[in-house]
Amino acid sequence: MQKPPMLRHPFRILGHGLAFGGITIAAAIDYLVRIRLPGRHRDYSIRALWLQYWSRWTLRLLHIQVFCTGTPPHRGLLVSNHVGYLDV
């Protein structure tokens, strides 16, 4: 007889959910204060830097490590492969 897969502890899931919700709210407030209200929302480079900053924070918070192999293309489109049965 096989053992059932180990379930994650419910408090750990709750903690990660609350942390993700908190960082989402903090990012939204930061976007309003730093980008939208000063009128810099049309500058793509500033928005890109803001997005990279908050993406790094979110990955760090959720303990997600990103591994890259190869070199990025000089021309063309870079598309990631979805590994799993459920695509976002």
Side-chain angles (χ1 to χ4, degrees):
M1 185 170 172
Q2 292 181 351
K3 293 181 180 179
M6 187 174 165
L7 299 175
R8 291 186 180 252
H9 197 274
F11 292 121
R12 180 185 231 182
I13 294 171
L14 179 64
H16 281 245
L18 290 173
F20 182 71
I23 204 164
T24 302
I25 291 170
I29 292 170
D30 185 55
Y31 179 79
L32 286 173
V33 172
R34 289 189 183 184
I35 308 293
R36 192 67 183 179
L37 292 179
R40 296 187 287 179
H41 60 279
R42 297 193 193 281
D43 189 354
Y44 291 118
S45 62
I46 291 175
R47 287 186 0 210
L49 289 174
W50 178 87
L51 182 62
Q52 289 174 6
Y53 174 81
W54 282 103
S55 296
R56 285 188 187 109
W57 264 105
T58 304
L59 290 173
R60 194 176 303 138
L61 175 76
L62 298 176
H63 305 290
I64 297 173
Q65 295 179 354
V66 178
F67 298 100
C68 300
T69 57
T71 58
H74 295 288
R75 294 178 54 198
L77 181 66
L78 181 65
V79 180
S80 64
N81 185 13
H82 294 273
V83 180
Y85 295 107
L86 180 63
D87 281 340
V88 178

